[in-house]
Amino acid sequence: MTVIQCISPIDGSVFAERPALPLDAARDVVARAKKAQKSWAKRPLEERVQLVLKGVARLNEMVDEVVPELAWQMGRPVRYGGEFRGFNERSNYVATIAADALAPLIIEESGSFERRIEREAHGVVFVIAPWNYPYMTAINTIAPALMAGNTVIIKHASQTILVGERMVRAFSEAGVPEDVFQNIFLDHATTSALIAKKSFDFINFTGSVEGGRSIERAAAGTFTPLGLELGGKDPGYVMEDADLDAAVDTLMDGATFNSGQCCCGIERIYVHESLYDAFVEKSVAWVSNYKLGNPLDTETTLGPMAHKRFAATVRAQIADAVAKGAKALVNPKLFPADDGGAYVAPQVLVDVDHSMEFMREETFGPAVGIMKVKSDEEALSLMNDSKYGLTASLWTKDAERAGRIGREIETGTVFMNRADYLDPALCWTGVKETGRGGSLSVIGFQNLTRPKSYHLKKVTA
Ligand code: NAP
């Protein structure tokens, strides 16, 4: 029997473990989800929406357990209070648009014809979730999928093994029927085997590019629709007319919050030469204010990374860049909690270039590279010199210029004067190796349903 373990980044102890389900038992879970789906979809939309919102509310009541449990699982400092703000905002927003997003598209209603396109739930939706924002990333699919009449099975990351279990408990206590939303503990082989047997009608995978490739391979030939929300290397570009302090504040927060473990975290910054020196100086001062330490301590503002193997990647990328000529500007002595393991001091690198892995591969840690640029053309070519494309953050007072540059950037979202935020009214999507599909917004509902056309000719004689 395979046991899935969460090793806490706080102290390297085993915080939680659960036995992985064998294939036969996992298939039973899927069978129950299939059986429950038709009657769930027949309930009025408003009833499904309200049950989901009650589940969200029930989870909010668990805040005192959720917040320290998150800190133990993935290291987020308790002072940030979990993920409730975004979790609630997204759930509430999709609830307000559900009726319109799922309404039939009426083409004709006349004495002769009724022609319309209705939206129908896919069936069983499988959510494979990552540990970095374990509640927020999962709710992006779970809330609209359930509202649209799908049943949902969630498999959470080993690092945040308790999150799926807790969400299901909250929803079930709120009245969502047991088989409509189920948690499942699975190893990779069983996950792939289930997918290959066409167990699901839609799969949302949020995680690494390599993980996404495995899921796509497992699904090959089954025609199962996939939403793939994968890695990023998001750029910021600070133009000469930018509000410097606001740019430093938002971009450095975007680069380092959650120990830099954000899919849309800022990983590389290009600054116009006229602001470069000031931007670098202020950025180093900004990150030097962090207090790195035990996330259970309310004074801690920067926790450990989720696992020491993730920290090892960050350290290796920085070391490689420095060996190739980069300069690391943050004094490590300011961060005595940096233990060479999961606790990583923030870092700002200059004299970097795109020959370095640090500027090309996802770092997913509290470190960022800053380069000087002379023009929009140079910044654009550097921003697009990446295999990823999730968001890009432009800093200027000129919205027209941002729009013009934005149209040339290979990315899913263009921000002006903000970064690292998911607006639930907009489609969350990526290009290139960042994946395909889109969640949240009206488009998220469309992706979690399929169109069904009605072409009804009336007999008038
Ligand atoms: P990950 O290692 O790919 O894991 C994501 C999920 O997929 C986990 O539940 C994991 O389970 C599972 N998984 C991975 N490989 C699998 C396989 N071969 N077969 C079956 N299941 C598999 O990613 P992560 O480290 O959790 O998350 C960080 C990554 O997610 C970063 O690259 C980040 O950019 C990306 N991300 C993207 C977005 C976005 O919106 N684009 C949002 C958040 C995160 P186990 O944990 O049990 O291995």
Side-chain angles (χ1 to χ4, degrees):
M1 183 183 66
T2 312
V3 172
I4 299 176
Q5 287 189 326
C6 161
I7 308 288
S8 175
I10 292 183
D11 58 5
S13 63
V14 176
F15 176 65
E17 54 185 15
R18 296 287 186 272
L21 274 192
L23 186 58
D24 283 351
R27 297 197 74 180
D28 288 346
V29 171
V30 176
R32 289 204 297 279
K34 273 199 195 308
K35 192 152 171 250
Q37 194 264 326
K38 293 263 182 293
S39 56
W40 174 247
K42 282 195 179 122
R43 293 196 188 200
L45 170 63
E46 191 47 28
E47 194 178 316
R48 296 193 303 262
V49 167
Q50 288 309 321
L51 275 170
V52 170
L53 291 180
K54 280 186 185 154
V56 169
R58 180 71 195 102
L59 191 80
N60 276 256
E61 289 165 6
M62 299 174 172
V63 59
D64 291 343
E65 296 158 71
V66 166
V67 171
E69 194 175 83
L70 253 187
W72 275 103
Q73 290 176 95
M74 50 71 72
R76 168 118 24 86
V78 292
R79 68 181 288 123
Y80 298 120
E83 297 174 8
F84 286 102
R85 202 168 59 184
F87 186 83
N88 296 341
E89 184 190 20
R90 296 171 193 188
S91 308
N92 291 332
Y93 181 77
V94 293
T96 64
I97 62 165
D100 283 344
L102 296 169
L105 179 62
I106 310 286
I107 308 300
E108 180 178 356
E109 259 178 3
S110 68
S112 318
F113 281 101
E114 280 180 30
R115 293 186 298 138
R116 63 180 173 271
I117 303 165
E118 291 188 7
R119 305 299 314 183
E120 205 164 85
H122 282 302
V124 180
V125 168
F126 188 36
V127 175
I128 306 178
W131 50 263
N132 65 321
Y133 280 95
Y135 285 101
M136 289 207 292
T137 52
I139 202 68
N140 292 351
T141 303
I142 292 168
L146 289 173
M147 288 174 187
N150 299 282
T151 51
V152 172
I153 297 173
I154 178 162
K155 180 218 111 50
H156 224 297
S158 307
Q159 194 66 47
T160 40
I161 189 82
L162 302 183
V163 171
E165 188 177 75
R166 185 171 280 284
M167 285 178 90
V168 164
R169 194 189 323 150
F171 277 55
S172 155
E173 286 174 14
V176 174
E178 225 175 68
D179 294 341
V180 164
F181 180 31
Q182 300 178 79
N183 177 59
I184 194 165
F185 299 110
L186 288 183
D187 62 23
H188 289 186
T190 312
T191 306
S192 293
L194 275 181
I195 293 172
K197 284 179 188 300
K198 185 141 183 54
S199 305
F200 307 107
D201 302 298
F202 182 87
I203 300 169
N204 175 272
F205 175 90
T206 306
S208 60
V209 172
E210 264 328 296
R213 283 209 175 92
S214 305
I215 299 306
E216 198 176 53
R217 271 196 296 269
T222 67
F223 305 126
T224 309
L226 296 178
L228 297 170
E229 300 180 26
L230 313 179
K233 186 86 191 162
D234 289 359
Y237 170 33
V238 182
M239 300 173 215
E240 69 283 355
D241 65 338
D243 176 336
L244 183 64
D245 289 331
V248 169
D249 193 45
T250 301
L251 291 174
M252 296 319 285
D253 184 65
T256 53
F257 186 73
N258 207 32
S259 296
Q261 301 163 124
C262 304
C263 53
C264 54
I266 296 293
E267 301 227 347
R268 49 201 176 105
I269 302 175
Y270 307 102
V271 184
H272 188 264
E273 57 186 355
S274 60
L275 294 183
Y276 178 81
D277 290 341
F279 185 91
V280 169
E281 193 187 322
K282 283 171 184 271
S283 296
V284 172
W286 197 98
V287 300
S288 300
N289 282 328
Y290 268 122
K291 184 170 185 306
L292 175 68
N294 187 322
L296 298 171
D297 178 349
T298 53
E299 299 289 300
T300 295
T301 52
L302 192 69
M305 294 190 61
H307 193 282
K308 63 181 183 193
R309 74 176 184 282
F310 305 136
T313 302
V314 178
R315 293 178 196 283
Q317 278 192 13
I318 292 174
D320 175 70
V322 169
K324 291 184 171 134
K327 262 201 220 98
L329 297 182
V330 177
N331 178 1
K333 291 207 178 91
L334 293 174
F335 299 93
D338 188 330
D339 61 351
Y343 290 80
V344 184
Q347 192 50 271
V348 172
L349 295 190
V350 292
D351 296 347
V352 287
D353 63 47
H354 281 212
S355 71
M356 300 167 182
E357 202 180 312
F358 182 75
M359 293 299 280
R360 304 187 69 85
E361 294 298 331
E362 190 174 38
T363 305
F364 222 54
V368 65
I370 307 180
M371 283 174 74
K372 192 188 290 186
V373 291
K374 284 188 165 57
S375 64
D376 290 350
E377 290 66 36
E378 188 184 3
L380 245 177
S381 121
L382 287 165
M383 285 192 280
N384 284 340
D385 181 28
S386 173
K387 59 187 176 184
Y388 302 106
L390 186 55
T391 77
S393 173
L394 305 178
W395 289 80
T396 173
K397 296 191 177 73
D398 183 346
E400 193 276 324
R401 182 177 175 191
R404 188 164 16 93
I405 295 172
R407 278 186 285 281
E408 302 292 320
I409 307 176
E410 296 152 1
T411 189
T413 294
V414 177
F415 289 115
M416 184 179 82
N417 301 331
R418 69 178 313 176
D420 193 20
Y421 169 69
L422 264 79
D423 177 345
L426 301 178
C427 181
W428 190 245
T429 185
V431 301
K432 303 198 262 190
E433 292 196 5
T434 294
R436 70 160 192 247
S439 58
L440 297 171
S441 75
V442 170
I443 290 167
F445 274 107
Q446 287 181 356
N447 287 341
L448 290 162
T449 52
R450 58 173 170 266
K452 189 166 181 178
S453 294
Y454 288 79
H455 190 148
L456 312 182
K457 182 177 179 187
K458 295 183 180 169
V459 178
T460 44

